[in-house]
Amino acid sequence: MTRLFAETALLPSGWAKNVHVEIKSNGELGSINSNAEPSSDSERVGILLPAPVNAHSHAFQRAMAGLTEKRGPDPVDSFWTWRKLMYRFLNQLSPEDIEAITAHVQLEMLEAGYATNVEFHYLHHGIDGEPYDNLAETSQRVAAAADQTGIGLTLLPVHYQYGGCDKRSLGAGQIRFGNDFQRYASLYELAASAVANLPPDSGIGVAPHSLRAVAPEDLVGLKSLAAGNPFHMHLAEQIPEVHEVEATWGARPVEWFLANFDVDDTCCLIHCTQMTPRETENLAKTGAVAGLCPITEANLGDGIFDGVRWLGNRGHIAIGSDSNIQISLVGELRILEYSQRLRDHTRSALATSEKSTGRHLFDLMVEGGARAAGRNTGKIRTGMLADLMCLDSTHIDLASRTGDMILDCYIFAGSDQMVTDVWSAGRHQVKEGKHIDRQTILNRYSKTMARLEDHL
């Protein structure tokens, strides 16, 4: 039994002082008492919060962060020119590289305050497109990274079969992703076995890449394969994508998806930056989660998610880091809010009459992330997983701050460096702001990057 004594904690009932929290050996939260006295064996912490889920990541892309910011030969640089560079980059990566890069990403997630990595993993095969002897080789590498870093993992092996809505063959940069439905089902089962060797808080889910990359007739089979586990898919990210789906299937992506698929609260639809007002309202009402990655969406010029309308229709959101160009929990929330302000010429766009902007965004993120990961988390409550993060109450930007103002200052005036400790299902992986195996993980990542340098 681990015992914590927090000066301040955000409980389901609201902010509380002098909170005694027990973490049981199975990684769940035990008794929680406010206005308590510390026990002799309690570890004293500052501001205790539920630690959120990083709901969408392509870990391998972290190694190319910052390498695509110069203008290419095309007259207008875009997501599609970036994608060409990404394809060239991934053709250098071995399974060993994928494991080292993923461990580094998970370390950065933990140090930023995330307790869980939902990994949208589509880099399955060898450089020539041939499967490894172990079909789930790279999925096992992602699991091995999680075993080293101690992060909670929801692994989403991605189904990617076609190069476009017309079912054209995958291009040279995409052949490492490709499976038909039957081979994907086999890969999924092997990946599930790899996850089963991790701590019991780990999970598995299904992820068709996008409407462009899978057959529409396979979507129902993929939902059945998920068997109630999370179901994630990119949806309506780019304008050309919308045009391609509309031209081939006779409807815009969200419109088609709502008309032809049983959308429910196990679904997490990623980006959704190209929706009409009506699509936004109708998708929000299904209970599906919108998986938002504001830093990547800004970096790639995807567009601005209509957060005001979505939340006005009681929609759920989760936050991810996607391309991992920068892993920053506060950065994602800040850009989400600021993009609404810039578009609408307002302030406090996503606040409510009851909650400040920072508090509302934080509550939405932890609740929606739990849904997206299929994980018993999101609240400091007895019986839930001990996914916890602690902020430094002595930090100059938090001095004398109380209540919701703590989160407002953390998100809009502070940084991820305010995070002192993180527990994932009771595993105390970040102490004094640093991961407990930081140097080993960084050394391996550095060696990987040195080897890749000649190819970047």
Side-chain angles (χ1 to χ4, degrees), residues 139-150:
S139 290
Q140 289 192 358
R141 296 291 183 157
V142 173
D147 191 43
Q148 180 179 14
T149 63

Side-chain angles (χ1 to χ4, degrees), residues 54-350:
N54 186 309
H56 188 71
S57 163
H58 312 301
F60 75 89
Q61 292 179 17
R62 173 66 179 85
M64 59 180 281
L67 301 181
T68 61
E69 301 304 323
K70 55 187 179 182
R71 183 68 60 82
D74 294 348
V76 177
D77 205 43
S78 69
F79 167 86
W80 306 98
T81 54
W82 171 88
R83 192 176 73 159
K84 293 176 186 176
L85 295 171
M86 185 266 287
Y87 286 166
R88 290 209 302 268
F89 170 76
L90 66 83
N91 274 342
Q92 316 304 322
L93 300 179
S94 69
E96 293 81 4
D97 297 333
I98 292 168
E99 182 178 336
I101 295 166
T102 302
H104 176 59
V105 166
Q106 292 172 350
L107 174 150
E108 291 189 313
M109 288 180 183
L110 284 160
E111 291 186 348
Y114 296 108
T116 308
N117 169 204
V118 179
E119 184 61 24
F120 195 97
H121 177 65
Y122 58 85
L123 185 52
H124 298 306
H125 307 311
I127 293 170
D128 57 1
E130 288 298 310
Y132 293 105
D133 291 341
N134 173 3
L135 182 59
E137 171 73 28
T138 63
S139 290
Q140 289 192 358
R141 296 291 183 157
V142 173
D147 191 43
Q148 180 179 14
T149 63
I151 202 167
L153 177 68
T154 297
L155 178 61
L156 304 175
V158 172
H159 180 40
Y160 200 126
Q161 187 169 2
Y162 300 113
C165 292
D166 58 0
K167 297 186 179 180
R168 59 186 177 271
S169 298
L170 296 177
Q174 302 168 316
I175 57 175
R176 297 191 72 176
F177 316 154
N179 295 287
D180 61 21
F181 183 87
Q182 291 304 320
R183 192 166 74 181
Y184 173 76
S186 298
L187 187 154
Y188 178 77
E189 293 303 319
L190 290 169
S193 296
V195 169
N197 292 323
L198 295 173
D201 60 285
S202 305
I204 189 84
V206 165
H209 179 271
S210 58
L211 294 181
R212 292 178 287 110
V214 300
E217 60 268 21
D218 284 341
L219 286 172
V220 173
L222 290 165
K223 189 69 158 29
S224 178
L225 186 63
N229 289 326
F231 180 97
H232 289 222
M233 184 174 71
H234 294 122
L235 187 66
E237 178 181 5
Q238 285 282 327
I239 294 173
E241 171 193 8
V242 172
H243 291 165
E244 182 179 355
V245 172
E246 190 170 24
T248 307
W249 293 1
R252 292 167 53 86
V254 174
E255 180 186 10
W256 186 94
F257 194 61
L258 287 169
N260 293 275
F261 192 79
D262 180 20
V263 185
D264 60 22
D265 61 6
T266 67
C267 295
C268 181
L269 293 319
I270 309 301
H271 302 308
C272 297
T273 48
Q274 300 298 328
M275 295 195 294
T276 66
R278 181 165 182 164
E279 290 169 351
T280 301
E281 294 164 3
N282 289 341
L283 187 60
K285 292 172 183 176
T286 64
V289 176
L292 309 179
C293 310
I295 291 175
T296 293
E297 289 152 10
N299 182 263
L300 298 181
D302 288 346
I304 299 173
F305 177 77
D306 191 352
V308 173
R309 190 181 306 274
W310 180 267
L311 297 181
N313 286 273
R314 299 185 178 182
H316 302 276
I317 64 169
I319 297 296
S321 53
D322 196 334
S323 69
N324 298 304
I325 188 169
Q326 181 187 37
I327 299 174
S328 171
L329 194 162
V330 297
E332 301 288 356
L333 296 178
R334 195 177 294 160
I335 289 183
L336 173 58
E337 167 66 20
Y338 284 175
S339 66
Q340 312 298 301
R341 298 183 187 190
L342 287 166
R343 181 194 60 214
D344 299 336
H345 310 289
T346 62
R347 294 198 73 255
S348 303
L350 301 179

